[in-house]
Amino acid sequence: MQTNEKKKVLSCIQPSGMLTLGNYLGALINWKNMQNEFDCTYAVADLHAITVRQEPAKLRQQIYSTCALLLALGIDPANNTLFVQSHVAAHSQLAWLLSCYTQFGELSRMTQFKEKSLKHADNINAGLFSYPVLMAADILLYQPDLVPVGADQKQHLEIARDIAVRFNGIYGNVFTVPEPYIAKTGARVMSLQDPSKKMSKSDENINSWVAMLDSKDDIIRKFKRAVTDSEAKVCIGENKLGINNLIGIYSAITGKSAQDITNEFEGKGYGDFKITVGEAVAEELRPIQEKYNTFIADKKQLEDIYKEGAVKAEYTARRTLSKVMKKVGFVL
Ligand code: ATP
Ligand code: LTN
């Protein structure tokens, strides 16, 4: 039987700082590319952002800024759903329900929890621990087929799938069990200063990450300073994490293969290569930055868009939540 129904996609991004090239190549580029083929729901995950301490005025600004950047990327709110997570109460409600179907042991094994607990040793709060349950709720409320994320989120997606399978096992088919959608290139962009770590917007060393809103000069300067090795040959290698990362970035942006890139820079030094990568990144981000400036200048328009998005999201989310409540044995 032929059906015209598009497959569903859901993803979220935290407004926890300036979005980086890692966010862009690992996730956002796919958000944009998927919107024509799929029925997409995208949210700004403000509830997740407060698992680490945020300054209120800055957080507010970052929520606006993240919405504006998503629109600048080309996400079309008329054909997709774009909203702010905390505006749809069902996320918090389902998270509580699902937390009663999630084991302490499985949450304790999450790499991100271990890393963030080390980094924020003075604030290892319950939210940081149950972060993956809220993420499972974000996902399962919308019954998506695919969830586009960077490679670092694979473990969280696995737990969302485990929770869905477990719940379905007890109560029948309530949740669609989603598949991760992780692109081959750009899925893990590494820090420019320590290429054994992922590029992260919460890294204190600003030279380690490129923000999507960085100026061309800053972008090129950061690439010029990128940590590499002493071999001076542009090719993939086991002990060449820095160069592997730059090749990955250049490849994700230009579509060229690693071999093509090696050929292109045959006989040239790392200096040339770093500048070429910096310029390619700046050129890729330039039109997005221009559009961003117009979206961020009109708060009223941004508010209208995310409020309308919340109304659409609420409709689907409520349906799933009611179904779950009935299955569990609550009265409606
Ligand atoms: P933080 O660095 O503050 O922990 P984050 O950037 O990892 O935050 P999000 O903003 O929620 O967290 O991530 C949004 C998306 O960007 C996710 O799909 C994540 O997998 C992806 N992403 C984040 N960093 C990278 C990276 N360095 N390489 C590839 N994808 C990334
Ligand atoms: N934890 C995610 C952000 C996130 C998310 C989601 C991603 C929150 N809820 C639901 C996909 C689906 C991260 O990328 N750091």
Side-chain angles (χ1 to χ4, degrees), residues 11-28 31 45 48 52 54 66 112 115-116 119-120 131 135 147-154 181-182 186-191 197-203 245:
S11 200
C12 306
I13 188 153
Q14 297 183 75
S16 51
M18 299 277 267
L19 295 190
T20 68
L21 185 63
N23 296 130
Y24 178 64
L25 295 178
L28 298 180
W31 287 27
H48 276 106
V52 301
Q54 304 285 344
T66 307
Q112 184 178 294
E115 283 172 5
K116 293 216 168 167
K119 207 162 153 197
H120 305 277
Y131 178 117
M135 179 158 160
V147 181
V149 281
D152 61 302
Q153 293 300 313
K154 195 158 184 267
Y181 180 90
I182 299 172
R188 198 184 287 275
V189 177
M190 309 310 280
S191 154
K197 290 194 323 199
K198 79 161 187 167
M199 180 181 283
S200 164
K201 57 190 172 212
S202 44
D203 196 319
N245 188 34

Side-chain angles (χ1 to χ4, degrees), residues 13-157:
I13 188 153
Q14 297 183 75
S16 51
M18 299 277 267
L19 295 190
T20 68
L21 185 63
N23 296 130
Y24 178 64
L25 295 178
L28 298 180
I29 214 168
N30 296 322
W31 287 27
K32 177 187 166 205
N33 292 337
M34 292 174 106
Q35 61 174 347
N36 297 325
E37 196 181 334
F38 301 97
D39 173 6
C40 300
T41 302
Y42 298 130
V44 175
D46 54 348
L47 296 171
H48 276 106
I50 61 163
T51 54
V52 301
R53 200 65 74 227
Q54 304 285 344
E55 203 191 298
K58 229 167 149 188
L59 178 60
R60 203 167 293 126
Q61 182 51 38
Q62 280 162 196
I63 296 169
Y64 281 119
S65 166
T66 307
C67 289
L69 208 43
L70 294 177
L71 294 166
L73 256 178
I75 295 196
D76 173 9
N79 292 313
N80 302 277
T81 305
L82 180 62
F83 69 105
V84 178
Q85 182 191 31
S86 65
H87 294 180
V88 179
H91 289 246
S92 307
Q93 292 171 289
L94 184 63
W96 172 260
L97 286 157
L98 295 183
S99 73
C100 302
Y101 298 81
T102 310
Q103 299 303 304
F104 180 85
E106 56 189 339
L107 290 176
S108 312
R109 287 192 288 276
M110 294 292 113
T111 317
Q112 184 178 294
F113 173 66
K114 290 186 208 160
E115 283 172 5
K116 293 216 168 167
S117 309
L118 282 175
K119 207 162 153 197
H120 305 277
D122 55 340
N123 183 22
I124 308 177
N125 60 73
L128 193 62
F129 185 68
S130 57
Y131 178 117
V133 184
L134 178 59
M135 179 158 160
D138 297 339
I139 298 171
L140 300 179
L141 277 174
Y142 300 92
Q143 312 279 5
D145 302 284
L146 289 172
V147 181
V149 281
D152 61 302
Q153 293 300 313
K154 195 158 184 267
Q155 201 183 26
H156 287 163
L157 221 77

